[in-house]
Amino acid sequence: YVLFDSVLSSGINAEYGHHKETIKKEAVWTVSNVTAGTKDQIQAVIDHQLIPLVVTALDTADFNTQKEAAWSVSNMTANGTPEQISYLIRLGAVPAMCKLLSVRDPQIVQVLLDGINNMLEMCKQDTDHLCTIIEDCGGLDKIEDLQKHQNKQIYKLAFDIIDKYFSTEECIENEENAEQFNFQVNSTVAPEGGFNF
């Protein structure tokens, strides 16, 4: 565990700060392997301030590094505690994840959708806030578009997210009430000479 701690504290920060994108990609890949581990290992990544680097990579790095960052974040959402996932959300991971939902790589799209779904499931008390973040950054529109994706797993997951978290009773009631109104054109003829305004 001491070696693990040493690698986290110096090695990954140095690699991520390197000017070559391939070195940065490897640093984020290393973090993705750690976040696939235990809650304690995820906490070590958090304690060593590596999650902000991952979120930055997810948002601004080249696509190969973004893919590794997507895996890091998704692994964290699958294996972390609600508090660890809440930390990830506070760092701005959700808008970065949503931004990548339109890439042409179905594996990464699915990884991101899984991560978003995990966040929504784990942060039950903050679901409304998380839904607002997703909607405000354009993520809801992208998830709705993914309901038409040719990959069955992607469109099913997108449909399930929309159905479970974005289809409220209030929306359904509003649609039902709208159906109750029947707007008809009045067949009354205008007065001779027209209307005076």
Side-chain angles (χ1 to χ4, degrees), residues 94-164:
V94 175
M97 294 170 78
C98 290
K99 185 167 84 172
L100 287 175
L101 286 173
S102 57
V103 300
R104 294 188 183 269
D105 185 330
Q107 184 182 32
I108 294 306
V109 171
Q110 179 147 4
V111 165
L112 292 164
L113 281 177
D114 283 334
I116 291 168
N117 191 49
N118 292 340
M119 287 176 165
L120 288 163
E121 297 229 350
M122 288 293 287
C123 297
K124 292 184 191 308
Q125 61 192 13
D126 292 329
T127 301
D128 289 342
H129 176 66
L130 184 52
C131 287
T132 300
I133 293 171
I134 292 168
E135 193 167 355
D136 288 349
C137 72
L140 179 57
D141 293 335
K142 290 181 180 182
I143 295 170
E144 286 173 343
D145 288 344
L146 289 172
Q147 292 180 104
K148 303 172 203 148
H149 200 279
Q150 64 186 15
N151 180 306
K152 290 181 182 182
Q153 292 173 320
I154 290 174
Y155 83 69
K156 176 154 180 20
L157 186 52
F159 176 82
D160 290 346
I161 290 170
I162 298 293
D163 187 51
K164 187 169 184 181

Side-chain angles (χ1 to χ4, degrees), residues 3 24 28 46 62 71 86 101 110 121 135 159 166 195:
L3 177 62
K24 290 180 182 181
V28 177
I46 291 170
D62 81 344
W71 279 104
S86 182
L101 286 173
Q110 179 147 4
E121 297 229 350
E135 193 167 355
F159 176 82
F166 294 96
F195 293 102

Side-chain angles (χ1 to χ4, degrees), residues 6-63:
S6 175
V7 168
L8 285 180
S9 63
S10 61
I12 293 176
N13 274 316
E15 284 181 7
Y16 188 77
H18 200 276
H19 68 281
K20 287 189 177 180
E21 199 63 39
T22 55
I23 303 294
K24 290 180 182 181
K25 176 185 150 294
E26 293 303 317
V28 177
W29 172 80
T30 302
V31 173
S32 75
N33 285 319
V34 178
T35 58
T38 66
K39 291 169 181 36
D40 290 337
Q41 290 169 327
I42 291 170
Q43 191 59 48
V45 170
I46 291 170
D47 292 345
H48 286 91
Q49 300 298 312
L50 297 176
I51 299 303
L53 298 176
V54 170
V55 172
T56 299
L58 185 65
D59 191 36
T60 62
D62 81 344
F63 184 63

